[in-house]
Amino acid sequence: SQMEVQSYEERQEDELEFLQCVFMNDFEDLRKKDSFKIKRPPEIMILLTPQKSIGASLQNIQRVQVSIKLHAKYTTDYPDSPPDLQLLDAQCLSEDLVKDLLKEINELAQERVGEVMMLEIVQHVQAFLHKHERPPVSLYEEMVKRRCKEAEEERKKKQKEIEIRLEQEQRQIE
């Protein structure tokens, strides 16, 4: 009925307005790029970074910035059917992690059918990014350091064995 169609549209636009307020410049309504202004359900892109408190932004400068773009295409009857979700332009996140994350948010969307869900999906992405926000540099450095240390210990052990052998040979000569 006319009434229901209206309310889908309203719910979609209300949610969009809210997301726009939260994400400001990191939020993009892709319909604004349409050359023909044909009414269609929302299609949006949001640049997401790990959840952080306001005060943390200064310390975060040294961290490698993990980020990803969430692309969401609403269906006409969203939220009674899930949006089409994609993850693009992942920074400092492996392909496997991106796959896992996409699977998680698609499952979440399925579970939330019937209620507006974009904010929850967005928060899930932010929490995921936060969890995997490890500066790859230091992990790599740690690995290198560990290998060097192991190699060094190995070298000392060999050195010791050689010394012992030399001592033994020395004795036999005497």
Side-chain angles (χ1 to χ4, degrees):
S1 71
Q2 192 57 47
M3 177 63 208
E4 274 167 0
V5 174
Q6 178 58 27
S7 74
Y8 280 131
E9 212 178 293
E10 274 175 7
R11 290 172 82 181
Q12 293 171 8
E13 298 302 336
D14 284 352
E15 185 177 38
L16 237 62
E17 227 168 276
F18 178 72
L19 290 168
Q20 197 147 18
C21 289
V22 176
F23 291 99
M24 319 281 276
N25 297 335
D26 291 332
F27 174 93
E28 197 180 355
D29 184 342
L30 298 176
R31 295 176 299 177
K32 297 208 165 107
K33 291 185 170 165
D34 295 356
S35 21
F36 303 105
K37 299 292 172 218
I38 298 164
K39 245 189 169 339
R40 64 184 181 103
E43 184 182 351
I44 60 172
M45 183 92 84
I46 308 178
L47 173 65
L48 295 171
T49 52
Q51 278 167 326
K52 50 176 170 275
S53 59
I54 304 301
S57 57
L58 288 172
Q59 298 123 19
N60 279 352
I61 294 169
Q62 308 91 335
R63 302 210 85 167
V64 173
Q65 190 59 65
V66 184
S67 69
I68 202 158
K69 285 179 181 170
L70 174 67
H71 177 264
K73 208 170 172 174
Y74 285 54
T75 51
T76 341
D77 62 350
Y78 170 91
D80 284 340
S81 60
D84 174 44
L85 302 171
Q86 288 177 47
L87 295 168
L88 311 166
D89 293 343
Q91 302 295 319
C92 304
L93 214 56
S94 71
E95 245 173 81
D96 286 344
L97 283 175
V98 174
K99 272 189 198 137
D100 291 347
L101 177 55
L102 187 60
K103 191 167 165 283
E104 287 179 19
I105 58 176
N106 275 316
E107 282 168 8
L108 182 61
Q110 288 294 342
E111 287 164 23
R112 293 291 178 268
V113 163
E115 44 185 298
V116 291
M117 61 185 87
M118 275 321 292
L119 185 65
E120 206 179 331
I121 288 169
V122 159
Q123 286 171 335
H124 186 90
V125 173
Q126 288 179 311
F128 186 95
L129 293 179
H130 186 70
K131 196 169 79 186
H132 296 283
E133 185 184 33
R134 297 278 172 275
V137 178
S138 70
L139 278 182
Y140 178 71
E141 280 174 3
E142 271 173 35
M143 188 182 77
V144 171
K145 267 191 214 142
R146 201 175 58 237
R147 292 225 174 120
C148 287
K149 209 173 128 197
E150 284 167 3
E152 180 59 20
E153 282 168 6
E154 190 62 28
R155 197 183 63 74
K156 281 184 181 153
K157 214 173 86 184
K158 283 221 174 79
Q159 185 65 36
K160 196 114 183 98
E161 284 168 6
I162 292 172
E163 283 169 13
I164 292 172
R165 227 187 17 251
L166 284 173
E167 265 179 39
Q168 290 171 342
E169 284 168 12
Q170 203 58 44
R171 280 202 208 105
Q172 285 166 359
I173 295 169
E174 292 167 21

